[in-house]
Amino acid sequence: WPAPGARVLCGPRPGAGSAPACPPNYLSAPRNRPEGKVLETVGVFEAPKQHGKYETGQLFLHSVFGYRGIVLFPWQARLYDRDVTSPVTEKNENAAGHGSKEVKGKTHTYYQVLIDARDCPHISQRSQTEAVTFLANHDDSRALYAIPGLDYVSHEDILPYSSTDQVPIQHELFERFLMYDQTKVPPFVARDTLCAWQEKNHPWLELSDVHRETTENIRVTVIPFYMGMREAQNSHVYWWRYCIRLENLDSEVVQLRERHWRIFSLSGTLETVRGRGVVGREPVLSKEQPAFQYSSHVSLQASSGHMWGTFRFERPDGSHFDVRIPPFSLESNKDEKTPPSGLHW
């Protein structure tokens, strides 16, 4: 990690292009300035928190994707990590004679954050610029809305920094949600509009479960979100979005070639989906760009279900291997949640 007090620098990359050319303690997000201009300081690194959580208004660099961001609020999630099994679970597995893992959720802090719009074009090869999608509460059942530049970030992804700039993040919601108060630490505090927005739209913002599994040094993390229910042709259709992050923990270059999903619905149907790549791409995971993140959507004609599957990767020598997608449940919690009401300030 960068040392506390090190400067956060931002400027044009040598040779341009999309590949980062700055060391890890620099932010490689060029501004629209003439080629060759020196890097400029945008802030000062702070020591990452080993314990506790970051507060609303904390500025940070994303340790994997390199974008500038600011924390809106934390979520307490249950992390189901299939790479970690307890001795009791292992005994049960051996006794049962099968390889399924009973994974217990462990509480972990994630954050709802705003991404600096200036950095979005430069992370597009490594991540879909994240957006929160939701179903508006009106008659058009097909309408899917999105708020761009919102992401969910794990505690260990955050490299905190401070800045004297009163508007350090460029995002259309920044000044609606936050205001500068030099007497506070961090000096950006939540406006009433942020608190009202979180409370009103809690159902489709809430992050509750995170699933993670590693196969041959490729780690897959899945975060599902319930979006709401719509009536269509005298039946109910339930919608979820899911965010997937692929990370190469090895130095060997690999490329994602295919996806293979199994989708089970409580109504008793089992659907198989195969296809090339993900979201129209076949991302390469290398030492320089080890991670890729994207979001997608799924609908069921039942209030709950499960998804699991595999990603097929290709090595430089042409050989292939399958990476497991950890099983995750699609829950509607329909008794607790009402359809989202859209954005209101």
Side-chain angles (χ1 to χ4, degrees):
W1 302 128
R7 290 183 299 161
V8 185
L9 301 179
C10 178
R13 300 186 191 94
S18 61
C22 298
N25 61 326
Y26 295 148
L27 176 63
S28 54
R31 304 246 177 126
N32 293 322
R33 296 196 304 269
E35 185 68 30
K37 185 170 180 180
V38 295
L39 299 173
E40 70 177 36
T41 303
V42 298
V44 177
F45 278 114
E46 300 171 344
K49 286 192 175 184
Q50 303 301 319
H51 305 287
K53 63 179 185 291
Y54 296 104
E55 302 299 326
T56 296
Q58 176 66 59
L59 293 167
F60 69 94
L61 296 189
H62 194 296
S63 66
V64 176
F65 296 118
Y67 63 71
R68 286 165 286 186
I70 192 164
V71 170
L72 294 182
F73 43 80
W75 290 112
Q76 289 301 307
R78 292 184 298 273
L79 174 62
Y80 295 91
D81 192 340
R82 298 177 75 84
D83 302 328
V84 180
T85 55
S86 67
V88 174
T89 304
E90 288 174 1
K91 282 181 186 175
N92 290 343
E93 280 184 40
N94 294 336
H98 59 76
S100 64
K101 296 180 181 179
E102 181 187 339
V103 184
K104 291 188 176 178
K106 191 175 178 182
T107 302
H108 195 74
T109 303
Y110 277 72
Y111 301 93
Q112 185 98 57
V113 307
L114 290 182
I115 302 174
D116 194 309
R118 293 166 294 186
D119 297 338
C120 292
H122 308 289
I123 61 171
S124 62
Q125 294 304 311
R126 290 172 281 171
S127 170
Q128 277 186 335
T129 300
E130 275 308 297
V132 164
T133 51
F134 64 96
L135 300 167
N137 188 18
H138 57 62
D139 295 335
D140 186 355
S141 62
R142 294 171 298 176
L144 181 68
Y145 289 80
I147 310 169
L150 277 170
D151 200 1
Y152 292 84
V153 178
S154 175
H155 184 83
E156 61 269 20
D157 287 339
I158 285 184
L159 296 176
Y161 74 92
S162 59
S163 171
T164 56
D165 189 343
Q166 293 190 19
V167 187
I169 300 296
Q170 289 189 13
H171 189 288
E172 61 180 346
L173 298 178
F174 179 85
E175 291 184 87
R176 289 185 179 181
F177 283 172
L178 299 157
M179 60 184 172
Y180 183 76
D181 183 344
Q182 61 182 1
T183 66
K184 305 289 186 182
V185 180
F188 307 99
V189 296
R191 293 182 185 270
D192 291 344
T193 46
L194 175 59
C195 304
W197 182 75
Q198 180 190 8
E199 184 177 346
K200 193 174 191 68
N201 299 298
H202 184 279
W204 51 271
L205 288 174
E206 182 181 9
L207 175 156
S208 56
D209 294 344
V210 179
H211 303 265
R212 193 160 70 191
E213 184 168 6
T214 304
T215 309
E216 297 202 33
N217 288 316
I218 305 297
R219 183 163 63 195
V220 180
T221 304
V222 184
I223 308 175
F225 300 87
Y226 176 59
M227 292 172 57
M229 179 269 290
R230 285 290 173 269
E231 292 188 18
Q233 298 173 343
N234 299 321
S235 66
H236 291 165
V237 179
Y238 298 82
W239 284 86
W240 291 263
R241 76 179 183 276
Y242 53 92
C243 177
I244 291 189
R245 184 156 122 188
L246 304 163
E247 291 178 86
N248 185 357
L249 307 179
D250 201 356
S251 57
E252 183 180 51
V253 178
V254 296
Q255 184 169 13
L256 190 155
R257 291 299 193 187
E258 298 175 23
R259 68 188 185 279
H260 179 202
W261 283 106
R262 307 275 277 178
I263 305 167
F264 176 75
S265 168
L266 190 65
S267 61
T269 61
L270 179 62
E271 185 181 0
T272 298
V273 178
R274 287 184 179 272
R276 295 286 295 180
V278 290
V279 292
R281 298 199 195 170
E282 296 180 18
V284 174
L285 304 183
S286 64
K287 193 172 182 180
E288 291 73 31
Q289 296 191 359
F292 182 80
Q293 182 171 297
Y294 75 96
S295 291
S296 191
H297 302 86
V298 63
S299 63
L300 301 177
Q301 289 185 314
S303 60
S304 65
H306 283 83
M307 289 179 66
W308 68 98
T310 55
F311 291 121
R312 175 153 291 187
F313 280 84
E314 183 178 347
R315 300 184 181 94
D317 64 6
S319 62
H320 294 83
F321 63 100
D322 288 335
V323 171
R324 289 184 297 276
I325 304 169
F328 57 96
S329 59
L330 303 169
E331 300 291 345
S332 66
N333 300 328
K334 59 182 183 298
D335 296 331
E336 302 169 22
K337 298 182 178 180
T338 56
S341 54
L343 284 177
H344 297 284
W345 310 111

